[in-house]
Amino acid sequence: MEFLTWVFPALVLLCTQQHRCIRAMNDIGDYIGSNIEISWLPNLDDLMKGYARNFRPGIGGPPVNVALAIEVASIDHISEVNMEYTMTVFLHQSWRDDRLSYNHTNETLGLDSRFVDKLWLPDTFIVNAKSAWFHDVTVENKLIRLQPDGVILYSIRITSTVACDMDLSKYPMDEQECMLDLESYGYSSEDIVYHWSENQDEIHGLDKLQLAQFTITNYQFTTEMMNFKSGQFPRLSLHFHLRRNRGVYIIQSYVPSILLVAMSWVSFWISQSAVPARVSLGITTVLTMTTLMVSARSSLPRASAIKALDVYFWICYVFVFAALVEYAFAHFNADYMKKQKNKLKARRQSAEINVKNAIVLFSLSIAGVSQELAISNRQHRIPRRLPGSYGTIEIETGETKRQQIMKLDKKSGLKSLFKPIDADTIDIYARAVFPAAFAAVNVIYWVAYTM
């Protein structure tokens, strides 16, 4: 009895599982053996009979109308050095080929990308592309759809490096216009006509792009006919306007330049006697400004146009160099005034010595004259003039003094026109003139390049 108690539940469970397995196998067999209804699909082999992919639809008749639409996936890189940008787009082309129309159903067929090799395709190419490539991971990124009336939608993913002529005269406050030109390479306007799709009112994905240095402000579509020796070829162009983001340049270039200029003004508050401090500060700011200019220009093309950033760098460089020249000028004036004081002191000392000598000579001459008068009284003779070397010396000395005084007056009149300024006064003027001039130049600069 105990044996049956253990065996009976096991047998019941085994039978239940076996029943489920048999039912599942029957279901799979029914599914595999059933016929899927695909009778509505057209026979592609019948459609491709007599199809010549080397000839355009309606050859010999009116041109083929090809509608183009673009979706932007990304703009990876915009280079000012090479004047180019890299863009990944989904290019949609749509045209009608009556040879592929069918009436089995109204459904649109989504075909395998390998079917593209059997169809005639427009020979669209990017005119201003430097290089381009298709994507093939995990399979070729191509889409082909066929409608009952023979309308074909062909979409492909392309990444291309496209040339873009840039005007860098206002860099980094510039706005650029780049284009993407699409054109038929071999078919003229007699065989193919391009036009933008009716649904191409806006570019999908472009408003969501986040670029590092630029902001897309506007875009527009244009259609034009290009004349060549081989005929007229239709061209579609996408113009998009880019405005450079200035924040990074203000932080990396403008603010350091302003701080260097302000640093050079610190020397105006340093004493004139501290020659090493003022000279080292001036030379350091000049060299740092030079390094900043060279590093900023290394990332730009060597264009002949003078850029706005170059102008600002040179403005700052002139102010930094002028601060160094200001100290040289002030130091020269201080040294000149010191020498003039020493000369004036020496002249005063020599004048005092000359006065003392004149007094001695005058006393000696008076003593000699009185002696001669006493002798003449004794001899009862009155001399007509005062002989002797002392009288001559006295007269010559008086004339020489008058000439020296006249010469000194003439020299002092000329020196008054070019009177040197005190070094401390120069520093006081510089503390006000340099900041005011720099602020005025900045106002003119920003108004000229931002308006």
Side-chain angles (χ1 to χ4, degrees):
M1 293 297 292
E2 294 181 358
F3 175 76
L4 292 175
T5 304
W6 288 99
V7 172
F8 183 75
L11 291 174
V12 173
L13 179 62
L14 181 61
C15 292
T16 304
Q17 295 295 333
Q18 186 177 4
H19 179 72
R20 291 180 179 176
C21 291
I22 294 172
R23 184 178 179 182
M25 293 300 294
N26 291 332
D27 292 340
I28 294 175
D30 294 339
Y31 177 77
I32 294 175
S34 62
N35 294 324
I36 302 175
E37 296 293 335
I38 56 173
S39 59
W40 60 271
L41 290 175
N43 193 334
L44 296 179
D45 293 334
D46 294 339
L47 288 177
M48 300 304 297
K49 285 181 180 180
Y51 185 87
R53 64 184 301 269
N54 297 326
F55 298 99
R56 69 172 181 85
I59 185 170
V64 180
N65 290 316
V66 179
L68 267 67
I70 288 179
E71 292 184 19
V72 177
S74 65
I75 298 178
D76 303 323
H77 180 64
I78 301 176
S79 174
E80 296 86 1
V81 177
N82 300 322
M83 291 195 177
E84 64 185 20
Y85 67 95
T86 302
M87 174 186 283
T88 300
V89 298
F90 296 97
L91 179 61
H92 307 295
Q93 302 178 78
S94 180
W95 68 96
R96 184 172 182 175
D97 193 344
D98 293 330
R99 296 173 293 180
L100 298 176
S101 60
Y102 56 90
N103 54 9
H104 296 76
T105 180
N106 293 327
E107 298 291 336
T108 300
L109 298 180
L111 303 177
D112 188 85
S113 61
R114 289 170 291 185
F115 190 71
V116 174
D117 298 332
K118 301 179 182 180
L119 301 178
W120 174 88
L121 301 175
D123 58 345
T124 309
F125 79 107
I126 302 175
V127 179
N128 51 349
K130 293 184 177 181
S131 62
W133 60 92
F134 302 115
H135 294 260
D136 54 2
V137 178
T138 58
V139 295
E140 292 184 353
N141 297 170
K142 297 179 180 179
L143 179 145
I144 185 77
R145 289 179 181 175
L146 180 61
Q147 296 181 7
D149 56 354
V151 175
I152 300 173
L153 173 62
Y154 175 56
S155 177
I156 191 168
R157 184 184 179 194
I158 305 174
T159 297
S160 178
T161 300
V162 186
C164 178
D165 296 332
M166 300 182 182
D167 181 13
L168 300 176
S169 59
K170 290 187 176 183
Y171 176 89
M173 289 167 285
D174 55 331
E175 294 185 3
Q176 304 297 338
E177 180 183 1
C178 294
M179 295 185 295
L180 183 69
D181 298 329
L182 301 173
E183 185 180 313
S184 173
Y185 191 83
Y187 292 102
S188 64
S189 59
E190 297 178 354
D191 295 318
I192 192 170
V193 174
Y194 283 113
H195 62 88
W196 290 108
S197 175
E198 296 178 356
N199 298 326
Q200 191 68 45
D201 296 332
E202 61 180 12
I203 301 178
H204 298 285
L206 196 61
D207 54 343
K208 298 179 181 179
L209 290 180
Q210 297 292 332
L211 304 180
Q213 298 184 13
F214 291 91
T215 300
I216 300 176
T217 59
N218 190 20
Y219 58 87
Q220 59 182 353
F221 305 98
T222 59
T223 304
E224 57 184 334
M225 196 67 66
M226 307 302 297
N227 295 318
F228 299 100
K229 292 183 178 180
S230 55
Q232 291 184 337
F233 290 81
R235 176 179 295 183
L236 301 184
S237 299
L238 168 63
H239 303 255
F240 52 95
H241 301 268
L242 303 171
R243 184 181 67 243
R244 193 181 301 275
N245 299 326
R246 306 165 188 172
V248 62
Y249 297 95
I250 292 175
I251 295 174
Q252 293 182 356
S253 299
Y254 285 97
V255 172
S257 302
I258 294 173
L259 292 179
L260 283 174
V261 175
M263 187 185 298
S264 65
W265 299 339
V266 176
S267 62
F268 301 152
W269 279 266
I270 299 177
S271 175
Q272 289 285 336
S273 59
V275 177
R278 297 193 65 163
V279 171
S280 61
L281 180 60
I283 294 176
T284 301
T285 52
V286 170
L287 294 178
T288 307
M289 195 68 219
T290 304
T291 304
L292 186 62
M293 293 171 62
V294 172
S295 63
R297 289 182 60 87
S298 61
S299 60
L300 296 176
R302 295 184 178 180
S304 58
I306 299 176
K307 294 171 281 295
L309 187 61
D310 295 334
V311 173
Y312 196 81
F313 278 152
W314 277 108
I315 290 173
C316 295
Y317 191 87
V318 167
F319 273 90
V320 169
F321 188 77
L324 182 62
V325 172
E326 184 272 343
Y327 174 66
F329 179 71
H331 186 73
F332 172 79
N333 277 271
D335 188 61
Y336 180 79
M337 293 184 68
K338 185 177 180 181
K339 290 180 180 179
Q340 290 297 109
K341 289 180 180 179
N342 293 334
K343 287 182 181 180
L344 184 60
K345 185 177 180 181
R347 286 178 183 176
R348 287 178 180 176
Q349 291 178 355
S350 62
E352 291 177 358
I353 294 173
N354 292 333
V355 170
K356 292 179 180 179
N357 292 334
I359 292 173
V360 172
L361 291 175
F362 182 72
S363 61
L364 291 176
S365 63
I366 291 177
V369 170
S370 61
Q371 186 176 4
E372 288 181 359
L373 287 174
I375 294 172
S376 62
N377 289 332
R378 292 176 183 176
Q379 296 178 358
H380 303 282
R381 288 186 303 175
I382 301 174
R384 296 180 182 177
R385 64 186 182 89
L386 300 176
S389 59
Y390 295 109
T392 306
I393 291 172
E394 183 182 2
I395 295 170
E396 290 179 356
T397 303
E399 291 178 355
T400 304
K401 286 182 178 179
R402 292 191 190 96
Q403 293 176 358
Q404 289 178 354
I405 290 170
M406 292 176 67
K407 290 180 180 180
L408 289 173
D409 291 338
K410 290 180 180 180
K411 290 182 179 180
S412 62
L414 293 174
K415 288 181 179 179
S416 62
L417 297 176
F418 304 99
K419 185 177 180 181
I421 306 174
D422 183 63
D424 294 332
T425 305
I426 295 175
D427 284 342
I428 292 173
Y429 287 157
R431 294 171 191 173
V433 171
F434 273 73
F438 188 68
V441 171
N442 269 273
V443 171
I444 297 173
Y445 173 85
W446 291 103
V447 169
Y449 283 103
T450 56
M451 293 299 181

